[in-house]
Amino acid sequence: MITNEQRENLRGWLTGRLPEDLFEELVEVTVDREEITLIGRIPAPRLAGDASDAEREAAVEGRIQEFRERTREARIEVAREAEHRYRRKVSWGVVCDSRRALFTHVAAPVMTRLRQPERQVLDTLIAGGVARSRSDALSWCVRLVQRHTDDWLTELRESLEHVQRVRAQGPDAEPEPQDAPTDEE
């Protein structure tokens, strides 16, 4: 978990560091313990007004692939610097027209112990064809919770940031420098 100040520092550094012509706009910066994900908007391809949906989809896919290949060197350079500075892997994605595509992203393993009723939930998802494995089923459950509890998770994150600010003011915090004594004291 990072604070709003750390997130703003990261977003500011990226805004200043990213090549000016890389994205039309930096749409999203997401951070967790392992990864920083950057999503930028790129221009949609220009098509004739009578272009079919299939042609439009293929053109957007082609634009995303062209962007990915053309900007690889610049993105790698920024990622290396950010990984050194922020000690997290950097992942990239774009929004083009109405399509969102991630190029790379971290799939971090998470270990957990589940009791039989919890394992039965996962096994039911597998039997129903929703998931291929318990790992896939657990990931599906997390995405479902994420989708339906966004307000609750946002409130929880804000509370955690408040706790971090209070801890930073505690007795283990770095003392603020004292002013040098003057001759009058």
Side-chain angles (χ1 to χ4, degrees), residues 2 10-11 27 36 48 78 106 116 132 156 165 168 177:
I2 69 169
L10 170 64
R11 189 173 181 94
V27 175
I36 300 166
V78 171
V106 174
Q116 189 177 33
R132 296 179 310 269
L156 181 60
R165 284 192 303 273

Side-chain angles (χ1 to χ4, degrees), residues 33 63 74 117 121 133 139 172:
R33 291 180 189 176
R63 173 61 52 88
V121 169
S133 64
S139 179
D172 295 335

Side-chain angles (χ1 to χ4, degrees), residues 30-102:
T30 308
V31 184
D32 68 8
R33 291 180 189 176
E34 292 85 21
E35 177 179 30
I36 300 166
T37 303
L38 307 172
I39 308 288
R41 183 174 318 284
I42 61 173
R46 293 187 191 136
L47 296 167
D50 61 346
S52 69
D53 288 344
E55 184 178 354
R56 187 170 309 281
E57 180 61 29
V60 167
E61 186 176 320
R63 173 61 52 88
I64 291 169
Q65 187 62 36
E66 183 276 333
F67 173 86
R68 183 178 187 187
E69 296 303 321
R70 176 176 47 83
T71 63
R72 186 179 312 273
E73 296 291 323
R75 289 184 295 108
I76 288 172
E77 186 176 328
V78 171
R80 283 189 184 134
E81 290 176 30
E83 287 170 5
H84 178 73
R85 183 179 180 110
Y86 295 101
R87 307 249 186 263
R88 290 170 171 87
K89 291 292 181 189
V90 175
S91 299
W92 298 87
V94 294
V95 174
C96 182
D97 203 21
S98 61
R99 182 154 177 239
R100 179 185 172 111
L102 287 176

